[in-house]
Amino acid sequence: MIPIRDHNPSERTPYITLSLIALNTAVFLGGLALLQTDYALSLFYYDYALLPFRISGGENYSALVTSVFLHGGVLHLAGNMLFLWIFGDNLEDEMGHIPFLIFYLLCGIGASLAQVVTDPLSQIPTVGASGAIAGVMGGYLLLYPKAKVDIFIFFVVFFRIFPIPAWIMLGLWFAIQLFNGINVEPSLGGVAYWAHAGGFVIGFLGTLPLWFRRGGVLFWRQTHGVPPHPEAQYGRSSVPVVRR
């Protein structure tokens, strides 16, 4: 189940969202060009990736931020940037450019700390913007719980794109992070589930002041949980269903 777009157009150009996508992509491409050996990559990760045992030892706090701009592969980068593009523009629209940037960075730092707390002595490098983007998703859920999100479903030979409310897609995503965070041993590496879950909660809580300024529950009643402007309309999907 992959989200590909929402029906919530932004009313202003999302300069920060676009800049973050460009910066993450540039850092990744720069790493491909400059870090040609495993030794060079390991040295780079030691200084700039999140290593929980170093944070627990009171050093390299800058990695709480720098690790948010590093990615471990093309799919890792592409998936994160897709989620940022879908959900980031609307939150930037509501918060304003600079407040959104501060919010994004704080969510990233909080997500990194959540990962450190769950496995403080880990020597496995943690990289990726997904914790910060999870915070964006948490804020989006609070403001637009019933906004339509188009998801791409594929199962063997079945393909379909259809819209579902944001609260279902984001709520299911958060539940998966919690389930895996509880049941998967952090020392095994792979996915930083607690960074995702922590970032999501921090983003949700960090958006509460904006939600209250909009009227809180009254804001939901007035907007019915959908964006307070006409939703984007898309044509019928051309992705076919492959018959048996």
Side-chain angles (χ1 to χ4, degrees), residues 27-49 70-71 127:
V27 169
F28 179 75
L29 294 177
L32 287 180
L34 298 175
L35 304 174
Q36 296 291 325
T37 66
D38 289 343
Y39 179 70
L41 183 63
S42 63
L43 287 179
F44 181 80
Y45 271 13
Y46 187 80
D47 287 332
Y48 298 105
L70 306 178
H71 289 85
V127 296

Side-chain angles (χ1 to χ4, degrees), residues 23-24 47-50 55 60-70 101 104-110 112-113 126-129 132:
L23 178 58
N24 278 279
D47 287 332
Y48 298 105
L50 177 70
I55 302 298
N60 202 31
Y61 291 128
S62 61
L64 294 170
V65 175
T66 56
S67 62
V68 175
F69 295 93
L70 306 178
L101 176 60
Y104 179 89
L105 294 174
L106 289 177
C107 287
I109 293 170
S112 297
L113 289 173
T126 300
V127 296

Side-chain angles (χ1 to χ4, degrees), residues 37-122:
T37 66
D38 289 343
Y39 179 70
L41 183 63
S42 63
L43 287 179
F44 181 80
Y45 271 13
Y46 187 80
D47 287 332
Y48 298 105
L50 177 70
L51 289 164
F53 83 95
R54 295 195 69 190
I55 302 298
S56 300
E59 59 182 43
N60 202 31
Y61 291 128
S62 61
L64 294 170
V65 175
T66 56
S67 62
V68 175
F69 295 93
L70 306 178
H71 289 85
V74 173
L75 292 180
H76 188 201
L77 173 70
N80 278 348
M81 296 305 100
L82 174 62
F83 274 66
L84 178 57
W85 171 248
I86 293 172
F87 301 110
D89 62 326
N90 301 116
L91 220 58
E92 181 178 347
D93 209 12
E94 286 287 344
M95 293 182 172
H97 303 303
I98 301 304
F100 174 73
L101 176 60
I102 296 172
F103 170 85
Y104 179 89
L105 294 174
L106 289 177
C107 287
I109 293 170
S112 297
L113 289 173
Q115 187 64 24
V116 171
V117 168
T118 57
D119 196 7
L121 300 180
S122 173

Side-chain angles (χ1 to χ4, degrees), residues 121-145:
L121 300 180
S122 173
Q123 298 183 36
I124 300 173
T126 300
V127 296
S130 50
I133 297 168
V136 173
M137 294 160 63
Y140 191 102
L141 174 63
L142 179 62
L143 294 179
Y144 312 116

Side-chain angles (χ1 to χ4, degrees), residues 185-216:
E185 176 60 41
S187 61
L188 296 177
V191 179
Y193 294 112
W194 286 116
H196 295 174
F200 191 94
V201 171
I202 291 167
F204 186 93
L205 296 176
T207 310
L208 279 173
L210 173 61
W211 182 68
F212 282 124
R213 288 199 301 272
R214 293 287 189 271

